[in-house]
Amino acid sequence: MTKHTQSLADNERWLGRVMIAPAIVYIVALVGFPFFLALFYSVSNITVGSTETSFIGLENFRHLLHNRTFLRALRNTFVFAFVSQALVLVLAKTLALSLLKDFRGKWVVRLLILLPWVAPISLGSIGWLWILDSVYSVINWTGRALGIFGPATWPIWLGQPTLAMASIITVHVWRLLPLATVILLGGLTSIPQDIHDAAAVDGAGFWRHNFQITIPLVLPIMLVAMLFGVVFAFTDMIVIYVLTRGGPYDTTQVLASLAFFTGIDGGDLAAGAAIALFLFPVLAVSAILMLRLARRTEVT
Amino acid sequence: MATVETRDIRKLFGDVKAVDGVDLLVKEGEFLVFLGPSGCGKTTLLRMIAGLETQTSGDILIGGQVVNDLPPRARKIAMVFQSYALYPHMTVYRNIAFPLKAQGFPGDQIPQKVEWAASTFGIGKLLHRKPRELSGGERQRVALARAVVREPSVFLLDEPLSNLDAKLRTSARDELQQFQRRIGTTTIYVTHDQVEAMGLGDRIAVMSGGKVRQLGSPQEVYNEPADTFVAGFLGSPPMNLFERDDYIAGFRPETFLPVGLHDTSEPLVTLWAKIHRVEHLGADRLLYGTMRDTFPNEKVIINIPFTVEMQITPGEVYEFAVKEKDIKFFDRSTGLRTEPRRFWEKRS
């Protein structure tokens, strides 16, 4: 070891700074800079091809509020985020509870549940693309073979606005479920067995046990998982990008995808930035809540 | 109040026999203690009685009724856990009220019952606190209050005092016993602490290897141990045991005194021992030594009360004596009690 590194390793003040520097560079370059750039773009009239830009104030935002596609996307974003989170929460809780119990082949079931998380999302989405295909959909053919779908019934999963939204939510839930399940499973296993035993002896049945003992005890961790999921649902667009590209007729656009299609594909950087920034207050509030929750769980 | 009975009850965890054919009858209002080292099956047995663990075979009866297939909540029992298992997100009040609500107790009577249970254990002022704001002793009282509030027919206590400090444990033991005598509820108490067991139990079931080795009053299990395990487990220091031919002879350290100190007309057996070390423990003096003649070079521990002022010097040989009736005999192969072998007569 040279004399120089030795003195650096011994100097806690400098060592700390050096070690945190990559993280700061990363955040400044890939989060901070784009964020301020977006702030600037959103009050300008910049496009992909323009050589000069001018300040136009809140014109982009005012314009957006009269845009029906944008309003639809805004609504979709909330529907998408909250419906998928509600489903994830209920399903993850159910799965986690059943995975707590010991049974034969438990590890196979655990593996299968984790699979959507470890598989590349684009791969999974392409699989879903086939499942939901307008001609070859395995759901439709199975439904017809079993006689559930009559001769006149042939849902176009990705082509009818309501069905397309439902499909997107389903795939998103499928994708987030493993992580949420694992987080909840961690929370559930951290409850001492004695507490469950005490509740059983005290006379609590399934529902009372669940709603008065188990859920309150995993609530902090559950809220963290939920906020994480909400932020993820607000900012992610890959499922939409692969399955519907926002269609049919922009009925499945969310703000993230609309920002991408307008700003990058459409070249209207100013409008794209304004759309993307619309999410900012919601996300900021979520982040603050998340930090406060994490703090509270630390303290108790 | 109710009796609790187990009939040839067994519990296997894989190949391990945690509980191996236990037959017990706990009488109405009795305070029975399961005593044994860790891993002896006492907690598993208690959990099977509670219904938290299903037995591999055998029957459990509470109040004369077979409860094998009843869930814990239908067995009219209350249990106090070693960790107390208080619900951390609920106040003391809600903790105590929980079993009442769970069992559909009329809502308007709940506050009254909670107050009664809380005042029984002197925790009336803590009702609005959360468990994390309580001391160990207070938590233990809350756990007891939560158990008592529904007036169960059987109390099951799993080492409820082991998390308290030594001083608190003594007073808690006293309160617990007084309380049990007052309400007269059948109680089963699990512990590995022989002092607790001796002090609390009407009867003690000494357990080892999943079996009950002896069931009897504290005096019985102490003075008349059924086998070498019981003889060695109870008493601190434990009984001195000497192997010889096909039997094992033993006596308690406090029955083996310098020969001049016995003022009795009962027949005595005198033995010589060389003392190596003397320990002064306040109330007692422990002498560590080795036996001479009859059990050559076997180690022996002697317990002399501090009131005996005899001078004992390490390295010296002294003549000790034990009453004939205080010497117990065990079969060397099975470890079970046998008839006296009067080895001292052969010698003379």
Side-chain angles (χ1 to χ4, degrees):
Chain A
M1 206 180 266
T2 67
K3 205 177 169 188
H4 176 73
T5 49
Q6 219 168 15
S7 65
L8 179 66
D10 288 339
N11 187 337
E12 280 190 17
R13 231 176 87 195
W14 277 102
L15 186 68
R17 289 176 190 184
V18 168
M19 291 187 99
I20 205 158
I24 290 179
V25 170
Y26 170 83
I27 289 171
V28 168
L30 294 175
V31 182
F33 177 66
F35 175 69
F36 285 104
L37 203 61
L39 276 183
F40 167 67
Y41 281 178
S42 67
V43 290
S44 73
N45 62 354
I46 193 167
T47 60
V48 168
S50 61
T51 49
E52 49 185 65
T53 54
S54 50
F55 177 76
I56 57 165
L58 296 176
E59 191 53 44
N60 285 323
F61 292 97
R62 201 170 310 133
H63 186 73
L64 279 180
L65 288 174
H66 298 291
N67 182 334
R68 291 184 61 183
T69 307
F70 172 79
L71 293 176
R72 174 97 197 211
L74 188 65
R75 208 191 77 189
N76 282 349
T77 306
F78 281 90
V79 170
F80 180 66
F82 287 111
V83 173
S84 62
Q85 277 318 294
L87 285 172
V88 164
L89 214 58
V90 173
L91 292 175
K93 178 82 200 323
T94 316
L95 269 178
L97 272 183
S98 53
L99 283 177
L100 262 186
K101 301 237 157 42
D102 266 320
F103 55 88
R104 277 173 78 103
K106 181 170 159 175
W107 72 271
V108 180
V109 179
R110 279 196 176 185
L111 181 76
L112 287 176
I113 286 170
L114 266 179
L115 221 50
W117 187 254
V118 288
I121 175 61
S122 48
L123 213 65
S125 295
I126 289 168
W128 278 102
L129 205 55
W130 289 341
I131 293 173
L132 302 170
D133 190 90
S134 57
V135 178
Y136 304 108
S137 167
V138 67
I139 304 172
N140 289 5
W141 286 103
T142 312
R144 178 154 293 175
L146 293 176
I148 300 167
F149 292 167
T153 314
W154 191 261
I156 309 291
W157 296 103
L158 300 175
Q160 290 161 274
T162 320
L163 283 181
M165 199 65 200
S167 301
I168 282 164
I169 290 173
T170 306
V171 176
H172 192 71
V173 167
W174 167 84
R175 192 184 154 204
L176 280 189
L177 197 53
L179 183 71
T181 306
V182 171
I183 291 176
L184 276 182
L185 202 57
L188 287 174
T189 45
S190 72
I191 303 175
Q193 183 58 35
D194 273 2
I195 300 268
H196 295 304
D197 288 345
V201 171
D202 282 348
F206 176 81
W207 296 108
R208 184 180 295 273
H209 193 144
N210 236 317
F211 282 98
Q212 293 190 8
I213 306 290
T214 311
I215 292 182
L217 287 177
V218 289
L219 198 62
I221 208 165
M222 214 152 116
L223 284 176
V224 171
M226 202 176 75
L227 280 173
F228 184 82
V230 166
V231 170
F232 202 69
F234 271 132
T235 53
D236 190 66
M237 50 162 273
I238 193 153
V239 174
I240 290 165
Y241 186 80
V242 175
L243 288 186
T244 63
R245 305 224 160 202
Y249 344 109
D250 285 335
T251 49
T252 58
Q253 292 283 17
V254 292
L255 293 190
S257 62
L258 189 65
F260 177 81
F261 288 122
T262 310
I264 308 297
D265 279 7
D268 189 352
L269 285 177
I275 294 169
L277 280 178
F278 232 88
L279 300 167
F280 181 67
V282 179
L283 295 179
V285 168
S286 303
I288 290 166
L289 275 178
M290 218 189 291
L291 289 174
R292 290 187 63 153
L293 263 177
R295 223 183 101 91
R296 219 179 70 186
T297 39
E298 242 170 55
V299 171
T300 52
Chain B
M1 270 198 278
T3 58
V4 177
E5 196 179 347
T6 67
R7 290 183 184 160
D8 194 26
I9 195 159
R10 284 166 207 278
K11 176 74 182 179
L12 298 175
F13 290 112
D15 294 334
V16 181
K17 289 176 183 164
V19 173
D20 190 10
V22 170
D23 288 290
L24 273 179
L25 176 63
V26 191
K27 296 175 214 150
E28 227 165 76
E30 186 179 26
F31 198 121
L32 182 79
V33 178
F34 293 166
L35 173 68
S38 47
C40 73
K42 56 192 191 300
T43 295
T44 308
L45 183 56
L46 189 79
R47 289 174 59 85
M48 285 194 285
I49 293 169
L52 295 170
E53 211 80 65
T54 316
Q55 64 269 30
T56 310
S57 68
D59 290 324
I60 296 171
L61 291 85
I62 295 178
Q65 185 201 354
V66 177
V67 295
N68 292 353
D69 300 323
L70 292 183
R73 63 174 183 276
R75 297 190 180 195
K76 289 193 196 138
I77 50 155
M79 188 159 168
V80 175
F81 296 82
Q82 185 174 4
S83 64
Y84 312 136
L86 300 178
Y87 308 124
H89 58 295
M90 296 185 186
T91 58
V92 169
Y93 179 91
R94 285 187 58 215
N95 261 285
I96 301 175
F98 187 82
L100 296 176
K101 286 183 186 155
Q103 289 174 351
F105 208 78
D108 54 334
Q109 292 173 36
I110 289 177
Q112 205 184 328
K113 289 286 287 181
V114 174
E115 300 268 323
W116 165 77
S119 64
T120 303
F121 291 98
I123 48 169
K125 291 205 172 107
L126 305 176
L127 287 175
H128 58 280
R129 298 232 200 131
K130 291 268 183 77
R132 65 168 181 276
E133 299 162 337
L134 303 177
S135 70
E138 288 166 342
R139 283 179 204 183
Q140 189 237 2
R141 285 154 188 270
V142 176
L144 284 170
R146 187 176 66 181
V148 169
V149 73
R150 79 197 94 156
E151 299 181 47
S153 44
V154 181
F155 269 133
L156 305 175
L157 306 166
D158 185 5
E159 310 223 15
L161 305 183
S162 63
N163 286 344
L164 301 180
D165 63 57
K167 201 173 159 194
L168 205 54
R169 203 178 305 162
T170 314
S171 61
R173 196 167 74 213
D174 181 44
E175 284 173 23
L176 193 62
Q177 189 174 42
Q178 282 184 21
F179 165 76
Q180 198 268 345
R181 294 277 180 269
R182 198 163 68 236
I183 60 166
T185 304
T186 311
T187 302
I188 304 178
Y189 186 102
V190 163
T191 183
H192 64 269
D193 182 333
Q194 48 173 311
V195 179
E196 262 175 40
M198 302 284 286
L200 283 170
D202 292 323
R203 286 192 299 162
I204 299 175
V206 185
M207 293 186 66
S208 159
K211 289 185 185 340
V212 173
R213 309 299 281 258
Q214 185 170 8
L215 177 64
S217 69
Q219 295 76 22
E220 275 166 7
V221 294
Y222 189 79
N223 296 328
E224 304 297 337
D227 61 17
T228 49
F229 173 80
V230 178
F233 187 72
L234 282 166
S236 171
M239 188 179 261
N240 293 300
L241 296 170
F242 308 107
E243 295 189 356
R244 198 179 190 224
D245 303 334
D246 60 338
Y247 67 87
I248 296 171
F251 48 77
R252 295 258 167 223
E254 64 275 18
T255 61
F256 195 54
L257 296 173
V259 70
L261 292 175
H262 284 280
D263 56 340
T264 173
S265 53
E266 289 176 72
L268 293 176
V269 177
T270 56
L271 296 162
W272 290 84
K274 183 178 182 182
I275 303 305
H276 302 299
R277 196 160 68 85
V278 180
E279 241 175 39
H280 296 277
L281 298 179
D284 301 299
R285 194 155 38 139
L286 291 187
L287 315 180
Y288 295 83
T290 46
M291 299 297 280
R292 288 301 174 86
D293 45 38
T294 316
F295 307 107
N297 293 323
E298 296 237 32
K299 287 205 161 72
V300 66
I301 301 175
I302 301 150
N303 186 352
I304 303 180
F306 87 108
T307 45
V308 173
E309 288 177 6
M310 184 180 159
Q311 177 68 35
I312 304 237
T313 319
E316 297 288 311
V317 177
Y318 293 89
E319 189 179 22
F320 292 88
V322 54
K323 289 176 195 167
E324 272 184 22
K325 70 171 176 65
D326 284 338
I327 307 179
K328 316 295 173 190
F329 294 87
F330 307 92
D331 187 284
R332 193 165 166 184
S333 53
T334 61
L336 295 175
R337 270 295 274 284
T338 60
E339 74 288 353
R341 300 306 266 286
R342 311 196 71 78
F343 59 85
W344 52 89
E345 285 176 355
K346 273 186 240 163
R347 194 179 44 159
S348 56

